[in-house]
Amino acid sequence: MKPAAVLLLAAAAVWAQAPVQAASWVNPSEKPAVSLMTTAELEKELDKKISTVGGNQPVMLLGNARALYVEGFGVVVTQEISLVQTPYPSPFRPPITPQETAQTHQRKLDRLPLARQTVRDLWMLAAMKLTSLPENEQIVMAERLLYQSWEDTKGLPGVILVRATRKDGLAG
């Protein structure tokens, strides 16, 4: 008798729970302000642009651009990069020396101003390409900087972020 009573009480507790709020779904018949085709074209262009930064020693594109339009908010674009080519530990190469660690750190610090300016330039490119985006919605450009476990990251950010409404950003 006791197990049945416990089971009945447990079932009553489950049935007494408040109903879960349903997520709001985008109606596929409604046309978003920014189409998937537009974001896909923007992604390709941003990948090309970031791959040319740095001349003979370009920024390494580690993850392709991903753009997402969020209705009522704007467009969020992310990419993963490394500021410079870094040596990778391997059984086929000698261990990373403290001198290599220091040199890599300095090269990345030297490259940081160029990377920040590039992200601003990419934001401007996105703002010019996203003409259908309402002016009061935002464009967020986030470049995630990836580091090796052996690297010294002192003074180096994890993300370079530019965020503004399309109207404010184009106005400067």
Side-chain angles (χ1 to χ4, degrees), residues 32-86:
V34 179
S35 72
L36 289 175
M37 184 183 299
T38 302
T39 57
E41 290 170 3
L42 177 64
E43 291 168 350
K44 288 177 188 172
E45 188 147 357
L46 294 175
D47 288 341
K48 283 182 201 173
K49 293 284 186 190
I50 199 76
S51 296
T52 62
V53 172
N56 293 339
Q57 297 178 353
V59 167
M60 288 186 56
L61 178 61
L62 302 174
N64 291 337
R66 291 291 172 240
L68 176 69
Y69 173 68
V70 180
E71 190 172 342
F73 177 79
V75 174
V76 178
V77 182
T78 63
Q79 278 180 311
E80 293 177 327
I81 63 170
S82 178
L83 294 172
V84 298
Q85 172 80 38
T86 57

Side-chain angles (χ1 to χ4, degrees), residues 10-161:
V14 170
W15 288 320
Q17 296 292 320
V20 176
Q21 291 286 339
S24 63
W25 296 96
V26 176
N27 184 349
S29 65
E30 295 176 18
K31 186 176 179 184
V34 179
S35 72
L36 289 175
M37 184 183 299
T38 302
T39 57
E41 290 170 3
L42 177 64
E43 291 168 350
K44 288 177 188 172
E45 188 147 357
L46 294 175
D47 288 341
K48 283 182 201 173
K49 293 284 186 190
I50 199 76
S51 296
T52 62
V53 172
N56 293 339
Q57 297 178 353
V59 167
M60 288 186 56
L61 178 61
L62 302 174
N64 291 337
R66 291 291 172 240
L68 176 69
Y69 173 68
V70 180
E71 190 172 342
F73 177 79
V75 174
V76 178
V77 182
T78 63
Q79 278 180 311
E80 293 177 327
I81 63 170
S82 178
L83 294 172
V84 298
Q85 172 80 38
T86 57
Y88 287 89
S90 164
F92 304 107
R93 83 175 298 287
I96 308 290
T97 65
Q99 181 182 7
E100 286 177 304
T101 301
Q103 287 173 343
T104 300
H105 180 71
Q106 188 58 51
R107 287 176 49 219
K108 287 192 174 193
L109 285 173
D110 294 344
R111 180 63 66 89
L112 194 55
L114 175 62
R116 286 187 169 132
Q117 183 58 50
T118 299
V119 176
R120 285 187 202 101
D121 294 345
L122 293 176
W123 188 97
M124 290 298 291
L125 175 68
M128 289 186 276
K129 294 283 182 181
L130 297 170
T131 56
S132 63
L133 183 72
E135 287 189 339
N136 63 333
E137 291 189 357
Q138 298 188 45
I139 299 172
V140 178
M141 183 71 58
E143 296 290 332
R144 183 170 176 222
L145 304 177
L146 296 182
Y147 302 101
Q148 300 287 325
S149 59
W150 56 266
E151 286 187 67
D152 175 10
T153 58
K154 185 178 180 184
L156 294 169
V159 175
I160 300 174
L161 186 88

